[in-house]
Amino acid sequence: MDLNDLGTLEVGRFIKRENRFLGRIVVDGKERSCYIADTGRLRDILVKDREIWVIKNREGLKTDYTLITVNVEGEWVLVNTSLHSNIAYRAIEKGVLGFIPKRIEKEVKFKNSRFDFLVDKNTFVELKGCNLVKGDTGYFPDAPTKRGVKHLRELIEAKEKGYNAVILIMALRDCKYFLPNSETDREFSEMFYKALDKGVNFRGFKIKVEENGKIYFVSTLKLGSI
């Protein structure tokens, strides 16, 4: 995937986050507003004066720009969840689930949820983006997520109804392992391990955003030990 396909990537500087969706930035020496398409806390990422990439919004929108990436100590970190699905789709195409699929469907309804993917008509896949890193381990979530717990519960139900079920973690920063973030959301962590016990599979992969704006699937992600 190439971020340049979204439009012209402009370089700016982050100032502050005013609420979940609104930030203040500087572009070309002028203070502007930006849309933040990631509801996570991002406390280790949205730090004042960090370099950012943004796309200018069309006229009529409430914000001037949309935030795409943040430079965290030399690593470009994607902070736009609207792009996650397309990236994961390509990773699934390349075999991140352990096989090359014949068919991938997006946003497929199951009971009261829509899972991100249905692969080969028999494998439900729910995707989560992981941007909180400590040492060599990535953690999800970085904020409590009732929606995430609901998805895990329904992956278990899909498995019980005869489907294959996968929780797919996409690491947005450099790490080797993944663990559920029990300190932030104990309910999600407990449901994650319950899902594994019930036969839901864990798969993980890591992406890298290059200086030219291209995104690469660089390696798989292992489940860490507690």
Side-chain angles (χ1 to χ4, degrees):
M1 183 174 179
D2 191 342
L3 292 176
N4 294 286
D5 292 339
L6 302 174
T8 301
L9 291 172
E10 297 187 44
V11 178
R13 181 167 50 85
F14 190 78
I15 300 176
K16 65 178 179 179
R17 189 176 197 170
E18 297 196 329
N19 59 46
R20 291 202 327 178
F21 301 106
L22 178 64
R24 303 300 299 180
I25 62 175
V26 170
V27 179
D28 291 331
K30 297 179 181 179
E31 185 171 326
R32 304 292 190 186
S33 61
C34 77
Y35 173 62
I36 301 172
D38 191 322
T39 58
R41 288 173 176 166
L42 306 176
R43 289 173 179 167
D44 296 336
I45 297 173
L46 297 182
V47 175
K48 185 178 180 182
D49 289 330
R50 277 190 170 154
E51 188 178 13
I52 57 176
W53 287 346
V54 292
I55 298 288
K56 189 171 179 60
N57 293 338
R58 59 178 172 79
E59 293 293 330
L61 294 182
K62 294 181 179 180
T63 51
D64 302 312
Y65 289 87
T66 294
L67 183 62
I68 305 297
T69 64
V70 179
N71 193 315
V72 180
E73 299 176 356
E75 179 184 27
W76 286 106
V77 179
L78 187 70
V79 288
N80 192 301
T81 57
S82 68
L83 304 177
H84 289 188
S85 179
N86 285 341
I87 297 169
Y89 187 100
R90 297 184 187 187
I92 292 171
E93 281 185 318
K94 291 179 180 293
V96 76
L97 297 182
F99 61 93
I100 302 298
K102 295 178 180 178
R103 180 184 176 93
I104 307 171
E105 300 170 67
K106 286 187 175 183
E107 295 292 323
V108 179
K109 188 174 182 180
F110 177 81
K111 298 197 70 174
N112 297 317
S113 287
R114 285 188 181 272
F115 288 127
D116 289 306
F117 305 101
L118 176 61
V119 180
D120 288 346
K121 294 188 176 295
N122 66 355
T123 302
F124 279 113
V125 180
E126 181 61 24
L127 171 70
K128 301 299 179 188
C130 169
N131 55 39
L132 175 63
V133 171
K134 299 177 184 178
D136 61 0
T137 303
Y139 294 85
F140 179 90
D142 80 335
T145 171
K146 294 292 184 184
R147 184 169 178 266
V149 173
K150 178 172 173 281
H151 283 145
L152 288 172
R153 186 177 293 115
E154 293 189 347
L155 281 175
I156 293 172
E157 292 183 28
K159 181 67 179 177
E160 291 173 343
K161 289 187 177 295
Y163 290 94
N164 297 320
V166 179
I167 178 70
L168 180 62
I169 301 295
M170 180 172 68
L172 306 169
R173 297 172 66 183
D174 189 23
C175 58
K176 295 180 180 179
Y177 306 99
F178 169 78
L179 284 173
N181 192 352
S182 59
E183 291 183 8
T184 295
D185 193 333
R186 181 169 295 277
E187 186 179 11
F188 178 89
S189 181
E190 291 174 351
M191 188 60 67
F192 177 86
Y193 287 113
K194 180 180 179 179
L196 298 190
D197 288 341
K198 294 291 186 178
V200 175
N201 290 321
F202 163 81
R203 290 282 178 173
F205 68 103
K206 182 174 64 176
I207 65 166
K208 183 177 182 181
V209 181
E210 298 283 6
E211 288 287 344
N212 60 9
K214 292 186 177 181
I215 298 176
Y216 295 96
F217 157 44
V218 292
S219 66
T220 56
L221 197 64
K222 298 178 181 179
L223 186 61
S225 56
I226 301 175

